[in-house]
C-alpha cells in the first residue's frame, strides 16, 4: 500500500481547505448598493442595488429613459455615482484592475472600417496590452466562436450589420474577461444569428463560468437566455428576480363576450381575479389559467355567455408590460 510522504497529507488538507474557502468566499462578479445618479435637478437613477453571482446571465431591462445606460456606465466606472457604492470583480467601481477584466459591447459602436476583421481584433488585443505570443491563435478562436472565421480577411466596411454585431462580441471577448456587459447584443441579427448568439452566451456562462449583464429590448430573447432580470422604470427598480419565478405568478385568460361592461363588473368582483381590462374588444383577465372553467361558470350564472376564450401563459414580455404600464414608454433613452 502506497503511503503519502510525511507531511504530504496535512499539506494537502490545508491546501484543500484554503481552496474550498476561496471558492466559497469568491465575491460576486458585480455588486451595487444604493447607486444613484443625479444630473442637475434630474435624478436619472435612484437607489440601484443588485448582486450578480458568477456564471449567471442577468437581464437588465426597462423602457426607454428608464436609466439603463446611466446605470451601466456607473457600473463600468465611466460615470461617477452621486451616491452609493459597488464592486466589480472584487474591486471598487472604476478601479483599473476590475475594468481590465470586463468585456463591454455598447449599443452604438463604430469600428475602424478600413481594417480586416482579423486586424481589428488584433488591434483591440494590443490596446489591452495582451502579449504577442499566442495572440494570433486567440484571435482566430474568437472569430470561430462568433462564426466569422470565413470573413476574417474581409474589410469591416463590407460586413453586414449582423456581422459587425458579432465582431463586437468577439472584440469584447478578445482578452477572455470574467464579466461581459452587453448592450443590445442581438440587434441586427437574423433568427439564425439570434439562436447562435443565445447558445454562445449560455455556453460562456454555464461552461466557462463567465458572468453576463445583458440589456435588450428583445424580451423573448431575454426570457430564453437569462437566469434573472431586473426592471428599471424612471430610474427606480420596480421588479427583480429569477425569470422562472416571475413567470410563475400567473397568466392571462382572454375573454370575448358581447356585454363587455357587465362582464367586467362580474370579473372584477371575483376574489381570485387580480384585474380585468378591456382592449380592442377583448377582456384580458389577470387570473390563474387553471381557473378558466370557474370564470366561465361565474359569467354564465349572470346570464353572460362567451363568444370566445383563450388561455395564455405569462411571458416575460407580458410581465414587463404589466409592471411598466401598457406601452412601457417613458421617453428618451437614458
Amino acid at each position: 500500500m502506497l503511503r503519502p510522504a510525511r507531511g504530504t497529507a496535512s499539506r494537502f488538507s490545508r491546501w484543500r481547505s484554503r481552496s474550498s474557502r476561496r471558492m466559497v468566499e469568491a465575491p460576486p462578479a458585480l455588486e451595487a448598493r444604493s447607486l444613484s445618479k443625479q444630473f442637475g435637478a434630474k435624478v436619472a437613477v435612484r437607489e440601484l442595488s443588485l448582486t450578480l453571482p458568477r456564471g449567471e446571465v442577468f437581464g437588465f431591462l426597462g423602457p426607454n429613459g428608464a436609466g439603463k445606460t446611466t446605470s451601466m456606465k456607473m457600473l463600468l466606472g465611466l460615470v461617477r455615482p452621486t451616491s452609493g457604492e459597488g464592486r466589480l470583480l472584487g474591486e471598487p467601481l472604476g478601479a483599473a484592475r476590475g475594468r481590465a477584466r470586463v468585456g463591454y459591447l455598447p449599443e452604438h459602436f463604430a469600428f475602424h472600417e478600413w481594417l480586416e476583421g482579423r486586424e481589428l481584433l488584433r488591434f483591440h488585443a494590443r490596446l489591452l496590452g495582451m502579449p504577442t505570443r499566442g495572440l494570433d491563435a486567440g484571435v482566430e478562436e474568437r472569430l470561430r466562436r462568433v462564426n466569422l472565421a470565413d470573413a476574417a480577411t474581409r474589410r469591416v466596411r463590407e460586413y453586414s450589420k449582423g456581422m459587425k454585431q458579432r465582431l463586437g462580441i468577439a472584440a469584447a471577448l478578445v482578452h477572455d474577461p470574467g464579466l461581459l456587459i452587453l448592450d443590445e447584443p442581438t440587434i441586427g441579427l437574423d433568427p439564425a444569428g439570434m439562436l447562435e448568439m443565445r447558445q454562445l452566451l449560455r455556453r460562456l456562462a454555464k461552461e466557462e463560468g463567465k458572468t453576463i449583464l445583458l440589456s435588450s429590448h428583445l424580451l423573448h430573447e431575454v426570457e430564453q437566455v437569462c437566469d434573472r432580470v431586473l426592471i428599471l422604470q424612471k430610474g427606480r427598480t420596480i421588479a427583480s428576480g429569477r425569470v422562472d419565478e416571475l413567470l410563475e405568478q400567473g397568466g392571462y385568460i382572454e375573454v370575448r363576450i358581447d356585454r363587455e361592461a357587465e362582464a367586467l363588473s362580474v370579473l372584477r368582483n371575483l376574489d381570485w381575479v387580480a384585474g380585468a381590462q378591456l382592449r380592442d374588444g377583448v377582456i384580458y383577465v389577470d387570473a390563474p389559467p387553471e381557473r378558466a372553467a370557474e370564470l366561465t361558470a361565474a359569467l354564465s350564472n349572470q346570464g353572460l355567455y362567451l363568444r370566445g376564450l383563450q388561455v395564455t401563459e405569462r411571458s416575460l414580455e407580458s410581465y414587463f408590460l404589466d409592471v411598466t404600464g401598457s406601452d412601457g414608454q417613458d421617453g428618451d433613452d437614458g
Side-chain angles (χ1 to χ4, degrees):
M1 178 178 177
L2 294 175
R3 297 182 182 275
R6 182 176 298 175
T8 300
S10 60
R11 285 198 302 272
F12 174 76
S13 298
R14 289 196 298 272
W15 174 85
R16 184 172 58 184
S17 176
R18 288 196 300 270
S19 177
S20 299
R21 283 200 303 272
R22 282 198 298 270
M23 287 189 292
V24 171
E25 296 169 1
L30 183 60
E31 296 176 277
R33 292 182 292 276
S34 301
L35 282 184
S36 297
K37 182 60 182 179
Q38 189 165 344
F39 297 100
K42 179 184 178 182
V43 179
V45 179
R46 189 187 301 272
E47 300 287 323
L48 173 67
S49 295
L50 59 83
T51 301
L52 271 67
R54 297 181 186 243
E56 275 200 2
V57 185
F58 188 92
F60 199 55
L61 312 177
N64 291 335
K68 301 188 301 296
T69 300
T70 300
S71 297
M72 293 174 77
K73 288 181 177 179
M74 283 196 291
L75 296 172
L76 282 163
L78 302 176
V79 169
R80 187 184 300 275
T82 305
S83 60
E85 59 182 357
R87 300 187 75 81
L88 184 72
L89 296 170
E91 303 290 337
L93 295 183
R97 287 182 59 184
R99 288 170 58 179
R101 294 156 57 206
V102 176
Y104 176 47
L105 177 68
E107 179 181 2
H108 303 293
F109 59 87
F111 288 139
H112 303 83
E113 298 206 336
W114 60 90
L115 294 177
E116 298 174 356
R118 178 183 289 130
E119 290 174 333
L120 185 85
L121 291 193
R122 286 175 178 163
F123 176 64
H124 276 256
R126 296 309 302 272
L127 284 178
L128 290 163
M130 296 179 65
T132 304
R133 184 176 182 179
L135 188 148
D136 287 345
V139 164
E140 296 303 320
E141 191 275 336
R142 300 304 186 272
L143 288 167
R144 284 194 299 272
R145 274 190 178 188
V146 298
N147 200 24
L148 285 177
D150 292 340
T153 58
R154 289 172 58 183
R155 304 290 179 187
V156 176
R157 70 168 66 95
E158 300 172 9
Y159 281 22
S160 67
K161 172 63 177 174
M163 292 171 71
K164 289 179 181 178
Q165 198 71 16
R166 284 184 276 150
L167 187 63
I169 296 287
L173 286 169
V174 75
H175 58 306
D176 194 27
L179 172 65
L180 282 169
I181 297 182
L182 309 176
D183 199 352
E184 300 288 352
T186 57
I187 192 169
L189 298 181
D190 60 20
M194 288 184 182
L195 175 60
E196 289 178 5
M197 188 63 65
R198 192 188 315 145
Q199 292 171 339
L200 172 62
L201 296 181
R202 295 299 295 179
R203 189 162 60 248
L204 289 170
K206 300 310 173 187
E207 296 179 13
E208 300 185 24
K210 297 188 186 301
T211 306
I212 301 172
L213 176 64
L214 166 68
S215 176
S216 177
H217 286 96
L218 300 177
L219 299 182
H220 61 285
E221 287 295 310
V222 172
E223 182 175 343
Q224 294 183 70
V225 76
C226 289
D227 301 292
R228 294 185 298 132
V229 297
L230 180 146
I231 301 176
L232 285 177
Q233 188 172 41
K234 296 181 179 178
R236 294 178 180 272
T237 300
I238 58 172
S240 65
R242 292 193 57 84
V243 172
D244 53 358
E245 292 174 356
L246 294 177
L247 301 189
E248 282 178 358
Q249 298 176 16
Y252 284 97
I253 303 173
E254 299 178 20
V255 172
R256 289 169 176 81
I257 199 166
D258 288 328
R259 293 151 60 186
E260 296 163 345
E262 295 176 58
L264 278 170
S265 178
V266 171
L267 293 170
R268 287 169 176 168
N269 283 318
L270 296 174
D271 292 340
W272 41 269
V273 169
Q277 295 184 358
L278 176 65
R279 295 199 300 269
D280 300 324
V282 179
I283 299 176
Y284 293 87
V285 186
D286 189 355
E290 62 270 18
R291 305 195 77 158
E294 292 178 64
L295 182 149
T296 303
L299 291 171
S300 63
N301 287 340
Q302 300 298 317
L304 302 168
Y305 301 100
L306 301 175
R307 288 190 291 108
L309 182 144
Q310 179 176 327
V311 172
T312 303
E313 296 294 336
R314 185 183 292 275
S315 66
L316 184 59
E317 182 175 9
S318 66
Y319 179 84
F320 179 89
L321 293 175
D322 278 350
V323 298
T324 60
S326 60
D327 61 4
Q329 298 297 313
D330 280 347
D332 296 334
D333 203 2

